[in-house]
Amino acid sequence: MRFVLPGKPQAKLQAICTTEWEGQRIVAYISGSALIILGGAHHIIQTVYHDGSPPLDAVAIDEASGKIAISISQEIYVYRPYGRGEGGLKWSLQCSLRIPNTKCDAVTLSWGIDEEILVASTSLRLFQTADEGTLIWHRELANPAKFASFSPDASLIASTGIYDRLIKLWRRQSSGTDDTRFDFTYLQHPRTITALHWRRPYDRGQCFENVLYTICADNRVRIWSPADPHGLEVFQLWAEIDMQESLQPRHNQLTCQSDKRYAFIIDSHDFIFATERAVQDASDGNLEENNALEHLMEIAKRGPEVCVVLDGRGNMSAWGLEGVGCKSSNLHNSFNIAHVEDFRLSNLQAVNAIENNLHFLNFCDRGPGSNFTLLVHHFDGRIEWLEGRIDELFDPSSRRDRLSRKALWTGHDGSVKKIVRNRSGNALLSRTNDNEGLLWKHKLSKSGTVLARHSSISCQEHIHKTCLLEEGGFAVNLHDHSISVWDTSSFCATQVAASEFDLEGKLLCLLLLREPDQFSGSFHVAAITSRMQGIVWEIKVGLKSQRNQTQALSDPSATVAKICTFDLQAEEDLMFILPVDPAGSLSIASDVLDTFARDVATSYTSSGVLCAWAAVLELENRSVHWLVTSRVETGIQNPSLASGSSIRKTAIIDAVKTGLTIWDVSSGQLEHDGHYEPHEMIQDLDWSSTPDNQAILAVGFPHRVVILSQMRFDYINTGPAWATIREISIRESTPHPIGDSTWLGSGNLVVGAGHQLYVYDKNVTNSDTFVTDLAIPMHSPRSMTIFDLVSYLNGPLPVFHPQFLAQCLLAGKLAQVQKIIIGLDKALKFFVEGDELDSLVSLPISTFFVEQQFLPNLAKKEMRSSYAEFIEESEPDTVSEDLAASLTEKLAKLAVPHLSNQEQMHLADIVECVATAEKHRRSMDENATRYLLFFRQHILRKGQAREGRFGLTWREIVWGQHSESQDILVHLISKHYQGRMLWRHARESGIFMWLTDISSLREQFEIIARNEYTKTDEKDPIDCSLYYLALKKKSILIGLWRMASWHREQSSTQKLLLRNFQEPRWKTAALKNAYALLGKRRFEYAAAFFLLAGNLQDAVNVCANQLQDLQLAVAVARVYEGDKGLVVRSLLEDKVLPQAALTGNRWLATWSFWMLGRRDMAVRALISPVYTLVDTPRTPNLQSRSYLANDPALIVLYKQLREKTLQTLKGASKIPPRVEWEFVIQNARLYDRMGCDILALDLVRNWEFLTQPQDQQQPSSAKHRHHIRKPSIPDRPQKMLRRRSSLVVDDLPSPGSGAPVPQIMRGLLSPPEKVFEEPDANSLLDSFGF
């Protein structure tokens, strides 16, 4: 649902019209140069723009054909409806008509019969529009026409001129295209005629007498009925109603009296329909007590027309007119129906005589649910849609709301260029290209969110930028060389202060700085130019309470004064600096200027440097201080648009306006990289956030807005960090492109397109396409606000969520995971859908902070047996396969709260994986458990549609690399593939990347070779050639070829293999065959021939480049020459590490460094960006800055590796303490963004930093206090460890030797000179001060 502000209606007598066509209510009105067609209070069917033309003058709808005609100066445009039966009613231009040789615009239009249209200006012209528009009758007028209207049967035309007191009544004598004639007579009035109305029949084909109602400047309504049809007088005066006398307020106070009178006619059939509808809506019990309804029921039986008179002060009287046009004089009667004193229209906001006018239209449709509707056209630029029961309208008793306002149509009469909101989001100002602005206030009504027009600004100078003060009470406009302050408390804003200035460069932004005291009545704004020079002004408006109580009209309500100028030292390639969108909770300005200060602006250079700026005012010194709170090198050249938010999220659009990137400025990481179709260029960005600071971004295109929400980080499935949750399209409502959009504080989105403002509801439903794609649990509410949806997508996870469990497993918390699974199984035992489920499954929060230890099974049995007689059924201590099967069955049947169907499937996968890991726990270390869990999870998900990964990630490979239980892993993997592991299976498991024992590696590679040979019934030796040649077992390959008698290449290949490839001749032959095979794109066989020629480097290159199989290249090199070979080293240094630097893959980097024997660099790669450690000729791409490069599991591996060997400890010692602290905090933030708040708390609570040397802990002087010193490396790195019981492998090279000599030593003690006796643990800790 949405609220629409279609545009400001013209202050013209024929600016609005309505009719019911083929059962649908159609309302059309003109706004500037636009025609707006509506099908209801909030339903815009179509908007037709005539850009570049003067404002429209009149509009009329043909009730019979549905055609709509508009007039622009001397041009008439006729639009024909189409698509009615197809469910998409629209209008298209049929023809255009021109009024020649006239200096007066066409001011009125009226449809006749058979698609005739009457055009009145200085003449009356009748056109036939059935085809292309033909002039069939023309008469000049003495005065330009003010009104000209056909009677319902088109036999009469009533016309009058400006300030005329005569109605010229034209009577049709003949009709036809070739012979159309009218004669005329006059109806005299004593004063100027102000309005006329023809009585409408019940049905257009109904035969009835024409009746004309006229309203005169003497405040009288005259009713003209037919006279003798054969006489000279066509009409005679039937009756008149004195509007001045008909309203006699009971209260004689001047405030209750008014000389103004307004009147409108309710036709008989509308009155009867409205009364019948009121009877249907009233209950039987209320019907007996509803005297007003009973009174109207009696009147409706007489079928009168009703004349309603009102004065705008709440006084209204209704008069029944019975027997109008009837030949029998006995039926002539006019009588009073009701008199009420509390029917108030909205206050008239007219600023001149033209705008001080009202025009009424009323109807009651025949469809179900239709009530009496009154359209009130205020000439100050508003149309009210009032709706209600007619008995409540005419009820003489006191009522508060006789008719409820269903819609208020207003807006601009020019195209919206910019929309600016205040900080709280409850007021906004929309501005057009003509420097005219409207201030809107956000209000809540019974129908939902509405924007109420509060004030208007009309400025003669060009407006560059605008900002709003307070709750929209004042507006500040920035012009070319001045700044102006406008008081918007009245309907028409007034300029109350101004100040001129002179700055070099182009004006880029106007910032509203944060105030130290929000209740001082002062505001400070800053303007900044492209030279990064600026001025700060102080605007004093006083406290609101003081202004309301004591301010005199002659006193200025605001003052503006220059405070200071500043220079931010502009960068040469600065492109723009923009204020941040005020997303998130409002905060009071801080006196401290540091990196935690709230950002106020974002700047961007053409070279791709993004900076966030904070500012602090010093009022005593009349100065402002600026600080760059963050600086990010994005690598995006020449962006076309950028937008930052106060919660440090920034969106950037590339130069071609189709690429969108979203950055977390505080961490400098890329969260989203999206691309859209080339024909849709991004033109607007708007930020909002939930009350708990979850970011929402609206991306504006010419005809639609895409709303993105941040998502939880998902490093297990590499899920997106941002997702589309809604798409808004305006193409069906208007052809005009979107000018601007902004968020209200409530979560509603305001979109400005052309003259119109669309306010979209903040509610979303589960049935929305994009919400369905997010896999929201089916038992969630069917409708929720956008804030609730975003909070759900980003809030803390329950401990039984698969992502939380996976992160616990990576963090080494297998004991806690088992407790969670056992607790969930217990909770689901008696669970029924609809019950609440504890997010902690009844576990104490300390479970996740205190390290859990498994008791030996024997000890557990003894404890249980001791109390067996008191325990009927003990809870399981571990997740067995039986428990896993039971819980999996429950998950398949129940809808678990907070989990979608997909997440329940993933949870079942993890339960099975944990059961498998528990079964083999005694024979596996933690790293092997991590690897096995995610290998099993990968296998279980491989068949699902969303599984797009090629195999295990480098994260799982690194866990396997650092496992000391690789034998059992090899056994389990081989068992999984039933002893038939092929290369694709090996690549999927990464076995040849993490297996460290070379003999075992070659043994598994030979198994692969054997299985590749036997995988088909033909047993082709080509399939295994690469593998056997890498193993240097050519003889086996010769034997296989000897058995391949069916192969057409047997003879030539067998002869070639028997040659001695140590000879240059045969080596050259092998190389020629390899290159020939490359030409035939037989890459794997070509690599085999390179190996046959002894050229390992080319074979590896073919595997890595042509086959795009890095694992195969590494495996072949390792098998062929071992881990110390030159080709392996070259492959890692020249191929793998640059790729890791280019993509930011820290797991790949640490694996490579470990393979190279650079264990210190392997540790550093876990913390530092890879491109800072590796020299690469290529610039790192956006992927290297992605959030995916900062996996929280990296800190788990870092903590494990830094204490493993002296090399790793040495590498950790090279990391500055500040960098390690930032690394820990960043991972805590990542856990929080993943919804794992408990793990974030556990990390910061239990993390142990390395102890630093004394010179680092105590800076020598105060000037070094904020200087990050390069860490010095102690002579004995093991002294940096806090835990005295740590065992560290001494793998540092011995002096004079080129290879490290491993040696086990105690972390802080010297190598023992005698047999080591392990001391008591308590005494050891006591001796070191613990």
Side-chain angles (χ1 to χ4, degrees):
M1 182 181 179
R2 65 185 183 185
F3 172 72
V4 188
L5 295 168
K8 178 183 178 181
Q10 297 286 85
K12 302 289 182 69
L13 293 171
Q14 205 175 353
I16 181 173
C17 59
T18 182
T19 190
E20 186 177 13
W21 177 66
E22 295 189 0
Q24 180 173 352
R25 173 58 53 180
I26 305 295
V27 181
Y29 77 91
I30 54 177
S31 171
S33 59
L35 166 65
I36 301 164
I37 307 170
L38 301 102
H42 303 290
H43 177 211
I44 292 184
I45 299 177
Q46 188 178 359
T47 305
V48 181
Y49 286 92
H50 293 264
D51 293 329
S53 66
L56 306 186
D57 296 306
V59 60
I61 305 178
D62 184 11
E63 183 180 354
S65 65
K67 291 184 177 181
I68 299 178
I70 58 172
S71 65
I72 310 175
S73 187
Q74 287 85 36
E75 295 286 341
I76 311 298
Y77 294 92
V78 178
Y79 291 88
R80 177 169 45 196
Y82 69 93
R84 170 67 175 170
E86 301 172 1
L89 178 61
K90 299 291 179 183
W91 277 259
S92 62
L93 181 65
Q94 177 196 345
C95 62
S96 61
L97 313 172
R98 182 167 180 82
I99 306 174
N101 304 324
T102 178
K103 296 182 180 179
C104 181
D105 299 340
V107 295
T108 184
L109 305 170
S110 181
W111 288 93
I113 59 173
D114 299 330
E115 302 182 27
E116 294 176 344
I117 186 169
L118 177 69
V119 181
S121 57
T122 56
S123 62
L124 294 181
R125 296 174 183 266
L126 186 61
F127 293 90
Q128 173 56 250
T129 65
D131 296 321
E132 294 299 324
T134 305
L135 180 66
I136 60 176
W137 180 71
H138 169 224
R139 286 294 182 272
E140 295 292 334
L141 297 176
N143 294 325
K146 180 179 182 181
F147 299 107
S149 177
F150 264 121
S151 63
D153 60 1
S155 63
L156 299 172
I157 299 174
S159 67
T160 184
I162 302 174
Y163 306 118
D164 205 341
R165 65 183 186 86
L166 297 175
I167 291 283
K168 184 175 286 188
L169 201 61
W170 302 81
R171 179 168 53 182
R172 189 189 291 262
Q173 299 295 316
S174 62
S175 60
T177 305
D178 299 328
D179 184 22
T180 299
R181 291 178 295 166
F182 287 83
D183 64 358
F184 64 89
T185 184
Y186 291 101
L187 299 179
Q188 295 188 5
H189 293 73
R191 299 283 295 276
T192 301
I193 298 164
T194 58
L196 58 85
H197 170 80
W198 288 102
R199 181 175 68 174
R200 292 177 298 169
Y202 175 82
D203 186 84
R204 190 171 179 85
Q206 178 183 359
C207 181
F208 79 118
E209 296 291 343
N210 292 314
V211 174
L212 179 66
Y213 300 87
T214 61
I215 302 176
C216 194
D218 61 353
N219 282 336
R220 289 178 180 268
V221 179
R222 291 174 173 81
I223 303 96
W224 303 86
S225 64
D228 184 2
H230 303 290
L232 296 178
E233 297 293 336
V234 181
F235 271 6
Q236 62 182 355
L237 183 64
W238 183 84
E240 61 181 32
I241 298 174
D242 190 338
M243 295 190 293
Q244 196 70 31
E245 295 297 327
S246 63
L247 292 179
Q248 297 294 332
R250 297 187 181 94
H251 306 284
N252 294 324
Q253 292 89 345
L254 295 177
T255 57
C256 298
Q257 299 179 7
S258 173
D259 293 334
K260 291 190 175 296
R261 294 293 185 269
Y262 307 96
F264 61 91
I265 306 298
I266 304 176
D267 292 304
S268 174
H269 63 91
D270 284 331
F271 178 71
I272 294 173
F273 284 148
T275 305
E276 291 176 353
R277 182 67 59 195
V279 172
Q280 294 174 6
D281 292 343
S283 62
D284 295 337
N286 294 335
L287 187 61
E288 298 176 358
E289 302 175 359
N290 194 335
N291 297 327
L293 182 56
E294 291 181 355
H295 174 60
L296 289 185
M297 290 169 59
E298 294 299 324
I299 294 176
K301 294 176 182 179
R302 301 158 65 178
E305 276 78 29
V306 179
C307 177
V308 180
V309 181
L310 60 162
D311 62 358
R313 294 290 182 88
N315 301 301
M316 180 183 70
S317 64
W319 297 82
L321 305 173
E322 183 182 7
V324 180
C326 183
K327 298 294 189 296
S328 174
S329 58
N330 296 331
L331 298 177
H332 296 185
N333 186 19
S334 61
F335 54 92
N336 183 263
I337 296 177
H339 182 88
V340 299
E341 296 185 353
D342 52 3
F343 178 63
R344 294 188 178 274
L345 300 172
S346 61
N347 295 331
L348 296 178
Q349 306 289 350
V351 296
N352 53 52
I354 295 178
E355 296 183 356
N356 192 8
N357 195 9
L358 296 176
H359 178 212
F360 298 89
L361 297 174
N362 65 89
F363 56 86
C364 184
D365 291 331
R366 309 176 191 180
S370 300
N371 285 321
F372 176 75
T373 302
L374 180 65
L375 299 180
V376 185
H377 175 201
H378 300 262
F379 276 46
D380 61 0
R382 297 172 294 147
I383 296 176
E384 284 186 285
W385 179 302
L386 305 176
E387 190 173 296
R389 286 169 45 175
I390 199 166
D391 60 319
E392 295 177 352
L393 175 64
F394 293 146
D395 189 353
S397 60
S398 178
R399 282 183 174 272
R400 183 175 181 180
D401 294 322
R402 296 183 178 274
L403 296 178
S404 62
R405 179 194 287 176
K406 197 171 182 180
L408 178 65
W409 298 337
T410 184
H412 292 275
D413 56 3
S415 297
V416 176
K417 176 183 179 182
K418 186 67 178 175
I419 305 177
V420 180
R421 55 167 271 183
N422 67 337
R423 282 180 176 170
S424 62
N426 56 13
L428 58 87
L429 187 141
S430 53
R431 196 175 74 238
T432 66
N433 292 320
D434 301 327
N435 298 317
E436 294 185 352
L438 293 179
L439 182 70
W440 308 88
K441 292 291 186 72
H442 173 214
K443 297 182 179 180
L444 294 176
S445 67
K446 296 179 180 179
S447 58
T449 299
V450 298
L451 283 182
R453 178 178 168 182
H454 185 73
S455 184
S456 63
I457 297 176
S458 181
C459 187
Q460 301 300 321
E461 295 184 73
H462 175 67
I463 301 175
H464 284 287
K465 306 291 179 182
T466 301
C467 69
L468 298 179
L469 308 181
E470 288 185 334
E471 300 301 312
F474 290 86
V476 181
N477 291 329
L478 183 65
H479 311 287
D480 291 326
H481 299 286
S482 65
I483 185 172
S484 60
V485 182
W486 295 73
D487 185 352
T488 58
S489 58
S490 60
F491 184 75
C492 292
T494 56
Q495 181 176 323
V496 293
S499 176
E500 295 185 353
F501 64 88
D502 186 16
L503 284 175
E504 295 184 4
K506 179 183 177 182
L507 292 171
L508 293 182
C509 73
L510 180 66
L511 302 175
L512 179 60
L513 303 180
R514 299 190 177 274
E515 300 297 326
D517 184 4
Q518 291 183 333
F519 305 100
S520 62
S522 297
F523 298 89
H524 293 81
V525 296
I528 305 177
T529 69
S530 57
R531 300 286 184 87
M532 293 297 277
Q533 298 177 0
I535 299 179
V536 177
W537 292 277
E538 182 181 42
I539 301 174
K540 293 185 177 181
V541 298
L543 296 178
K544 188 173 182 180
S545 58
Q546 296 176 356
R547 294 200 307 269
N548 294 339
Q549 294 175 4
T550 62
Q551 183 178 330
L553 293 176
S554 59
D555 295 336
S557 57
T559 60
V560 57
K562 174 182 172 182
I563 292 294
C564 65
T565 60
F566 56 87
D567 189 346
L568 299 180
Q569 302 299 323
E571 299 186 37
E572 294 182 358
D573 58 347
L574 177 72
M575 293 195 67
F576 45 74
I577 180 169
L578 299 170
V580 299
D581 283 348
S585 57
L586 299 178
S587 62
I588 302 176
S590 172
D591 295 334
V592 180
L593 187 61
D594 53 22
T595 55
F596 297 100
R598 193 88 163 186
D599 294 339
V600 296
T602 301
S603 66
Y604 203 94
T605 65
S606 58
S607 60
V609 178
L610 172 68
C611 294
W613 297 80
V616 168
L617 289 165
E618 283 194 7
L619 300 181
E620 296 180 356
N621 300 329
R622 298 178 66 85
S623 62
V624 61
H625 298 284
W626 296 84
L627 175 67
V628 178
T629 58
S630 57
R631 179 186 176 93
V632 182
E633 294 185 5
T634 65
I636 301 175
Q637 306 291 326
N638 301 314
S640 58
L641 182 64
S643 177
S645 70
S646 55
I647 55 177
R648 296 195 171 176
K649 303 287 184 184
T650 299
I652 301 173
I653 308 302
D654 62 10
V656 295
K657 298 184 179 181
T658 58
L660 167 67
T661 55
I662 302 176
W663 299 79
D664 185 334
V665 182
S666 58
S667 62
Q669 65 185 10
L670 174 67
E671 295 189 353
H672 177 74
D673 183 13
H675 295 272
Y676 297 91
E677 296 296 331
H679 63 274
E680 287 191 314
M681 293 188 177
I682 302 173
Q683 61 183 25
D684 188 29
L685 298 168
D686 294 287
W687 286 98
S688 181
S689 72
T690 64
D692 55 346
N693 288 347
Q694 309 293 344
I696 308 171
L697 176 64
V699 183
F701 297 87
H703 297 283
R704 67 186 181 113
V705 178
V706 175
I707 299 178
L708 302 176
S709 164
Q710 73 175 44
M711 306 281 286
R712 296 186 191 96
F713 286 167
D714 185 359
Y715 291 94
I716 304 300
N717 304 302
T718 61
W722 289 78
T724 301
I725 60 174
R726 192 175 186 183
E727 182 176 318
I728 294 170
S729 177
I730 65 167
R731 196 179 292 274
E732 293 296 322
S733 301
T734 175
H736 205 287
I738 295 173
D740 197 11
S741 60
T742 193
W743 290 94
L744 294 176
S746 60
N748 300 84
L749 182 67
V750 181
V751 178
H755 300 184
Q756 299 161 349
L757 294 177
Y758 300 84
V759 184
Y760 288 90
D761 196 4
K762 62 183 178 181
N763 291 326
V764 294
T765 61
N766 289 1
S767 59
D768 291 347
T769 303
F770 295 103
V771 178
T772 303
D773 294 340
L774 297 174
I776 302 296
M778 293 185 300
H779 44 270
S780 296
R782 299 184 63 86
S783 178
M784 64 183 80
T785 67
I786 192 171
F787 287 168
D788 295 336
L789 174 62
V790 175
S791 295
Y792 170 81
L793 296 174
N794 293 274
L797 294 171
V799 295
F800 52 82
H801 194 280
Q803 171 150 293
F804 185 87
L805 294 176
Q807 291 302 321
C808 284
L809 292 172
L810 287 174
K813 297 181 179 295
L814 181 59
Q816 288 88 336
V817 170
Q818 298 211 37
K819 287 181 177 292
I820 293 171
I821 293 175
I822 294 170
L824 179 62
D825 180 68
K826 181 180 178 181
L828 294 180
K829 186 172 295 185
F830 303 104
F831 178 83
V832 294
E833 294 187 16
D835 291 352
E836 292 293 330
L837 189 60
D838 183 14
S839 61
L840 293 175
V841 290
S842 303
L843 293 177
I845 195 68
S846 60
T847 304
F848 304 93
F849 303 144
V850 179
E851 194 169 337
Q852 303 291 312
Q853 297 291 339
F854 283 108
L855 291 173
N857 288 337
L858 181 59
K860 295 177 185 176
K861 291 179 180 179
E862 291 178 354
M863 292 175 60
R864 284 197 294 266
S865 61
S866 302
Y867 299 95
E869 54 184 329
F870 303 104
I871 301 175
E872 295 181 359
E873 182 181 356
S874 61
E875 294 183 3
D877 299 302
T878 59
V879 178
S880 62
E881 292 183 340
D882 293 339
L883 187 146
S886 172
L887 181 56
T888 302
E889 183 180 357
K890 294 173 186 175
L891 292 174
K893 296 179 180 179
L894 299 174
V896 181
H898 313 296
L899 296 182
S900 64
N901 291 339
Q902 192 77 12
E903 290 166 347
Q904 287 191 206
M905 293 173 61
H906 291 176
L907 176 58
D909 295 345
I910 289 181
V911 172
E912 292 184 11
C913 293
V914 171
T916 304
E918 174 60 24
K919 181 180 179 181
H920 301 281
R921 182 173 59 83
R922 284 182 173 274
S923 56
M924 292 192 304
D925 60 5
E926 283 190 353
N927 288 335
T929 302
R930 292 184 179 102
Y931 173 86
L932 182 63
L933 284 168
F934 290 99
F935 173 74
R936 283 267 304 157
Q937 194 168 346
H938 165 73
I939 295 301
L940 289 171
R941 298 185 186 181
K942 187 172 62 173
Q944 297 177 7
R946 293 191 178 185
E947 182 60 44
R949 294 201 308 223
F950 195 66
L952 292 181
T953 66
W954 286 99
R955 177 184 57 229
E956 284 77 42
I957 290 174
V958 170
W959 294 127
Q961 182 186 34
H962 293 291
S963 171
E964 297 179 359
S965 309
Q966 292 184 351
D967 291 341
I968 185 63
L969 287 182
V970 171
H971 171 72
L972 291 174
I973 292 172
S974 178
K975 183 179 179 182
H976 170 76
Y977 294 115
Q978 301 175 351
R980 304 287 301 171
M981 185 176 3
L982 302 174
W983 172 250
R984 58 185 175 89
H985 301 142
R987 181 176 52 207
E988 186 177 51
S989 64
I991 184 173
F992 292 100
M993 300 299 101
W994 52 259
L995 197 54
T996 57
D997 183 65
I998 291 297
S999 60
S1000 178
L1001 182 80
R1002 288 171 176 155
E1003 179 183 345
Q1004 293 300 318
F1005 205 71
E1006 188 168 1
I1007 294 175
I1008 296 293
R1010 190 183 309 120
N1011 292 335
E1012 287 288 341
Y1013 173 70
T1014 59
K1015 68 180 179 181
T1016 60
D1017 294 337
E1018 291 83 2
K1019 297 182 180 180
D1020 192 346
I1022 294 178
D1023 295 337
C1024 62
S1025 296
L1026 176 62
Y1027 306 98
Y1028 278 119
L1029 291 175
L1031 290 164
K1032 300 180 182 179
K1033 294 186 178 182
K1034 187 178 69 169
S1035 58
I1036 296 179
L1037 187 61
I1038 293 173
L1040 297 178
W1041 274 108
R1042 188 178 297 117
M1043 293 184 292
S1045 57
W1046 56 270
H1047 206 293
R1048 63 186 180 90
E1049 297 179 5
Q1050 182 200 26
S1051 177
S1052 57
T1053 305
Q1054 190 175 355
K1055 289 180 182 179
L1056 182 62
L1057 290 175
L1058 291 172
R1059 304 300 180 183
N1060 182 9
F1061 290 95
Q1062 299 299 323
E1063 299 179 9
R1065 172 189 173 188
W1066 299 113
K1067 184 178 293 187
T1068 303
L1071 290 175
K1072 287 182 179 179
N1073 279 277
Y1075 288 119
L1077 291 168
L1078 283 177
K1080 296 178 181 180
R1081 303 188 67 81
R1082 297 173 66 182
F1083 298 129
E1084 184 176 320
Y1085 203 28
F1089 271 87
F1090 279 122
L1091 291 179
L1092 191 62
N1095 197 335
L1096 175 61
Q1097 184 65 61
D1098 287 342
V1100 167
N1101 290 340
V1102 170
C1103 294
N1105 299 327
Q1106 275 72 27
L1107 290 175
Q1108 292 292 308
D1109 194 340
L1110 179 61
Q1111 289 197 34
L1112 181 60
V1114 173
V1116 168
R1118 293 185 67 193
V1119 169
Y1120 193 88
E1121 65 174 4
D1123 289 342
K1124 305 299 182 182
L1126 295 178
V1127 175
V1128 173
R1129 178 172 293 273
S1130 174
L1131 177 62
L1132 295 175
E1133 293 178 348
D1134 301 335
K1135 179 73 177 180
V1136 179
L1137 281 176
Q1139 179 181 339
L1142 189 66
T1143 59
N1145 193 332
R1146 298 186 184 182
W1147 295 103
L1148 180 58
T1150 189
W1151 174 85
S1152 302
F1153 282 126
W1154 197 270
M1155 289 290 295
L1156 289 169
R1158 294 298 308 274
R1159 299 183 175 183
D1160 55 338
M1161 297 295 290
V1163 172
R1164 293 178 61 187
L1166 297 174
I1167 291 185
S1168 304
V1170 185
Y1171 59 82
T1172 63
L1173 305 175
V1174 179
D1175 293 331
T1176 174
R1178 299 177 59 185
T1179 304
N1181 56 21
L1182 286 177
Q1183 187 179 354
S1184 66
R1185 298 177 173 88
S1186 171
Y1187 74 97
L1188 293 174
N1190 301 313
D1191 192 335
L1194 290 167
I1195 200 170
V1196 179
L1197 182 62
Y1198 169 74
K1199 183 178 181 181
Q1200 180 186 127
L1201 292 187
R1202 72 176 183 181
E1203 303 174 2
K1204 193 169 186 177
T1205 71
L1206 287 184
Q1207 271 203 54
T1208 59
L1209 191 55
K1210 181 180 178 181
S1213 67
K1214 294 180 180 180
I1215 299 172
R1218 176 73 180 182
V1219 174
E1220 183 179 356
W1221 181 85
E1222 291 176 348
F1223 181 60
V1224 174
I1225 297 302
Q1226 180 188 26
N1227 280 274
R1229 291 192 181 120
L1230 294 178
Y1231 275 132
D1232 180 68
R1233 181 67 185 274
M1234 295 170 68
C1236 304
D1237 305 61
I1238 297 177
L1239 296 182
L1241 184 58
D1242 172 62
L1243 177 63
V1244 297
R1245 182 178 184 270
N1246 297 324
W1247 182 261
E1248 293 182 354
F1249 291 92
L1250 296 177
T1251 58
Q1252 300 299 319
Q1254 192 69 18
D1255 60 340
Q1256 293 188 51
Q1257 295 181 6
Q1258 297 178 358
S1260 57
S1261 61
K1263 66 180 181 180
H1264 297 124
R1265 189 168 301 161
H1266 301 287
H1267 178 63
I1268 299 178
R1269 302 181 60 191
K1270 185 176 180 179
S1272 61
I1273 303 172
D1275 296 334
R1276 300 177 61 195
Q1278 60 268 34
K1279 290 183 178 181
M1280 302 178 68
L1281 295 176
R1282 295 178 182 272
R1283 295 178 181 264
R1284 302 310 190 207
S1285 60
S1286 300
L1287 292 176
V1288 180
V1289 177
D1290 184 1
D1291 58 351
L1292 290 176
S1294 301
S1297 66
V1301 180
Q1303 177 180 330
I1304 300 296
M1305 60 170 53
R1306 179 68 60 179
L1308 291 178
L1309 300 178
S1310 301
E1313 299 179 357
K1314 56 183 179 179
V1315 178
F1316 176 74
E1317 294 181 5
E1318 183 174 346
D1320 180 75
N1322 294 328
S1323 63
L1324 178 65
L1325 294 176
D1326 292 341
S1327 64
F1328 286 92
F1330 285 80

